[in-house]
Amino acid sequence: MAKSTSTPGKKSKSADLLKFTTDATNATITTDQGLKINDDHNSLKAGERGGTLLEDMILREKITHFDHERIPERIVHARGSGAHGIFKLNRSLKEFTKAAFLCDTSRETPVFVRFSTVAGSRGSTDLARDVRGFAVKFYTAEGNYDLVGNNIPVFFIQDAMKFPDLIHSVKPEPDNEIPQAASAHDTFWDFISLMPESTHMVMWVMSDRAIPRSLRMMEGFGVHTFRLVNDKGQGSFVKFHWKPVLGIHSVAWDEAQKISGKDSDFHRRDLWEAIEEGNYPEWELGVQIIPEKDEHKYAFDLLDPTKLVPEELVPVQIIGKMTLNRNPDNFFAETEQVMFSPAHLVPGIDFTNDPLLQGRLFSYTDTQLSRLGGPNFHQIPVNRSVNTIYNNQRDGHMQMQINKGKSSYSPNSIGGGCPFLAKAAEGGFTSYAERIDARKIRGRSKSFRDHFGQAALFYDSQSEPEQQHIKDAFSFELSKVTAPAVRERMVNTLTNVNLELAKYVAGKLGLPLLQKAIPVENGAIPADGNPKDYAPLKVKQDIEQSPALSMAGSKKGIIATRCIAVLVVNGTNAATLRELQKATAAKGAKIKLIAPTLGVVKTADGKQIQPDETLFNTASVLFDAVYIPGGKMAVDALAAEPDAIHFVNEQFRHCKAIGADKDTAAFMEKTSYHDGEGIITDGNIKQFLNAVGQHRFWERETGRKAPA
Ligand code: HDD
């Protein structure tokens, strides 16, 4: 049998990639043919002022390569950021699956993760209101396993047949290619308003989940119900969850829009810097396991990707942790060329008949043919399995493997019958023996018709500020729609979710409520019925609220990796700076000194400090909190700085913690802040840092807004 060169579970993917990595330190420049180059600044000419000679193969090679540097960007999820890391299992799932990386707690499995937005092009802003892709490639000793999920546990549509329509509707409109990376336009809402199955998903997309504070502070979900299969061939349904160790946090919508202008790489930079600084992002992997006998137990169909399984019904069991600990060496080679596919399975994990998943199984490999140029994309270093590949696939564009021998077919005798098949007991993949006994239809199960039950459950589970943000997001997005009929249809849809929400949005759009809500159906919906009858239903859910769906209850108190702005100017109180520096470092947070210029600042006690940034090159929206140290001269100088006043006003408006020394009144009075939660003006740094740990004080939004 062909032997793998890898040691199960132990081989480092990083070591594997090193074989393909070059480092030009102390090296001499060469052509692509390995010829040493003597002059890389001048083309070959006929005399000093003469024409360039066609024979200049060095020039031609360089320009030709440059001309072909770009490849088609991903049709969706074009904008992304990636990182390497490891997955460590701490609880075996042996009872449910034979997937070795989910059974053997002594293993560390290398991973590559790519986070992305969906709608925008490669260069678009990180802070678009959008779903975030959360794709993880596990380089397991049994082959690559890809969990290609999102930061939202449900999807817009139920059937892959509608995916191109969905994406065409959200992408910039075809006549003028406007707007970039935004769903707030006619075609998206036209489609959504005609597709009631998308209602649950748009509730999430209009929530703060769609504007995360950091990629490190968002959940990930496998979305579909998958299947685990154990060594006895028994199956269980499973939903995968990634839970961020730093908690789930978001920014305000006004802030997101401003970040898009001030630093459109905000998320990419945040991820990169955290890893460079050794603050490795971590997520716990959780599973919800549903026995096959419970397939029809709930008010929703497990195969319907517009539904989630509430954690209150089936708890999430934490089984391991993923740590991202290395930035890519080269963005293009790794983050751009990585390819994921939900079809990349290992023994012990299998598909279900979710019709969205079934379509995805085709799309991902197919799309690489035009994106990566041929069928050998699995040979690109970041896509390679840690196992050596032996099969009879041959040739094609950019074949990197040199397959020895005469036989490239099976069965063969000339090649000694190699490569051999693997028995299931030896790790050969066998599909789950699901019983299928059906007639072909082009239609949907009646059990997929509840389009409003979970949309309402999601809304009802949100805190008051979160509900307000959803109302505001719908009002914003729909007010950008120019077609009155589309706005009306969407208000009608919202009526079926929550009357108060619909009324609010209708009010903002200047519309009456035109339609009554559809009645709520009691109990589980039958699985049979006319497959052509798509009239939407609202089914009473098994629970009325699911606290796990709200971010309000997410972990608080962690300020590690948070960035606090400190406004400094000549005369700043140095004792405060020292105390702040000590206290923030002890909790793993960072401070950045912001001054009117990049010139050295003299503190009140005559020390010289170097500011990190200036009031004119950075912005309040890029920081988690602000502190204003005292010192009479400094306070008077800041009070005369409109940018400093604006900085604090904006921190107030975005509900962030504000701290100040006792003697800063002359400055603070110039700002529009009001007393309240999260505003500490007596110099109590401990209390200030506690406030930073609360993330945001959204209650502030109900009061008067600061003019920022
Ligand atoms: Fe998809 C990329 C996630 C439905 C077709 N998808 C892509 C990526 C993520 C997802 C995270 C980016 C991977 C990367 O970083 O390279 N997609 C999802 C989720 C879905 C989903 C969670 C629903 C549950 N996707 C979906 C459907 C289809 C596709 C129904 C087509 C039938 N998706 C693609 C694609 C992409 C892709 C066109 C674009 C580039 C690529 O695959 O490599 O094949």
Side-chain angles (χ1 to χ4, degrees), residues 181-252:
S183 51
H185 60 108
D186 283 32
T187 53
F188 176 70
W189 288 104
D190 185 25
F191 177 78
I192 297 296
S193 67
L194 295 167
M195 292 288 290
E197 70 198 50
S198 63
T199 310
H200 186 194
M201 179 70 171
V202 289
M203 296 304 298
W204 283 79
V205 180
M206 293 303 112
S207 82
D208 293 348
R209 298 272 182 161
I211 40 174
R213 156 64 183 83
S214 161
L215 301 170
R216 303 175 292 124
M217 298 171 200
M218 60 184 204
E219 285 183 293
F221 302 91
V223 182
H224 310 282
T225 302
F226 291 93
R227 204 186 296 270
L228 294 179
V229 186
N230 66 15
D231 51 8
K232 297 186 195 76
Q234 295 158 337
S236 319
F237 295 111
V238 65
K239 291 269 192 191
F240 290 106
H241 295 246
W242 292 109
K243 303 263 183 199
V245 167
L246 295 177
I248 322 161
H249 302 291
S250 288
V251 299

Side-chain angles (χ1 to χ4, degrees), residues 273-497:
E273 286 180 354
I275 295 175
E276 288 300 296
E277 288 160 4
N279 294 316
Y280 298 142
E282 293 176 319
W283 286 261
E284 290 182 312
L285 178 64
V287 287
Q288 285 176 297
I289 295 178
I290 302 125
E292 276 190 346
K293 68 173 173 43
D294 289 349
E295 183 172 0
H296 302 293
K297 180 175 166 184
Y298 303 107
F300 49 87
D301 194 327
L302 285 173
L303 300 186
D304 173 357
T306 66
K307 305 297 183 300
L308 51 84
V309 179
E311 293 186 27
E312 292 73 13
L313 293 183
V314 182
V316 174
Q317 311 173 40
I318 300 299
I319 59 164
K321 188 186 266 182
M322 174 170 77
T323 307
L324 299 183
N325 55 16
R326 188 166 73 81
N327 278 317
D329 288 313
N330 185 283
F331 183 90
F332 180 85
E334 301 176 74
T335 309
E336 192 58 17
Q337 292 199 112
V338 67
M339 81 73 77
F340 296 89
S341 170
H344 293 170
L345 286 188
V346 290
I349 307 181
D350 213 326
F351 315 124
T352 57
N353 292 333
D354 173 338
L356 192 72
L357 172 61
Q358 294 280 319
R360 292 182 75 194
L361 299 180
F362 165 73
S363 178
Y364 287 69
T365 305
D366 182 52
T367 202
Q368 309 311 327
L369 297 179
S370 51
R371 211 172 73 74
L372 296 172
N376 291 316
F377 47 80
H378 60 281
Q379 298 181 10
I380 294 171
V382 71
N383 294 328
R384 275 178 185 251
S385 162
V386 293
N387 292 339
T388 308
I389 309 300
Y390 301 100
N391 57 39
N392 293 317
Q393 266 101 267
R394 287 292 183 272
D395 308 344
H397 276 292
M398 301 298 165
Q399 174 61 260
M400 305 286 158
Q401 199 155 319
I402 303 168
N403 295 293
K404 288 201 217 177
K406 280 188 192 299
S407 66
S408 50
Y409 52 88
S410 168
N412 70 68
S413 65
I414 290 175
C418 299
F420 299 125
L421 298 175
K423 296 199 176 87
E426 294 165 348
F429 183 82
T430 53
S431 288
Y432 179 69
E434 183 178 9
R435 196 190 155 84
I436 297 180
D437 176 13
R439 250 181 303 162
K440 268 196 243 177
I441 65 153
R442 207 179 265 285
R444 292 195 198 173
S445 166
K446 199 175 176 188
S447 59
F448 276 39
R449 274 178 48 195
D450 170 21
H451 300 327
F452 304 119
Q454 286 207 346
L457 175 69
F458 178 75
Y459 188 75
D460 295 344
S461 304
Q462 304 300 302
S463 67
E464 230 177 287
E466 286 174 313
Q467 288 188 339
Q468 186 58 44
H469 293 175
I470 295 171
K471 288 175 183 164
D472 290 341
F474 272 112
S475 306
F476 175 93
E477 296 262 322
L478 295 174
S479 69
K480 299 275 186 189
V481 169
T482 62
V486 173
R487 288 193 219 131
E488 279 168 26
R489 276 202 302 270
M490 271 320 297
V491 170
N492 290 346
T493 300
L494 295 181
T495 311
N496 294 328
V497 178

Side-chain angles (χ1 to χ4, degrees), residues 74-77 114-116 132-135 148-150 154-155 157 159-160 163-164 221-224 305 338-340 356 359-360 363-365 367-368 371:
R74 289 167 176 81
I75 294 156
V76 282
H77 298 263
R114 185 172 176 276
F115 302 106
S116 46
R132 297 300 183 287
F134 193 129
V148 198
N150 280 341
V154 289
F155 203 65
I157 47 169
D159 193 308
F163 191 69
F221 302 91
V223 182
H224 310 282
V338 67
M339 81 73 77
F340 296 89
L356 192 72
R360 292 182 75 194
S363 178
Y364 287 69
T365 305
T367 202
Q368 309 311 327
R371 211 172 73 74

Side-chain angles (χ1 to χ4, degrees), residues 56-73:
D56 187 352
M57 78 292 188
I58 299 180
L59 171 73
R60 276 188 290 116
E61 184 198 78
K62 186 171 177 180
I63 303 280
T64 305
H65 199 279
F66 171 76
D67 289 347
H68 298 271
E69 270 177 10
R70 292 287 170 271
I71 60 169
E73 63 175 34

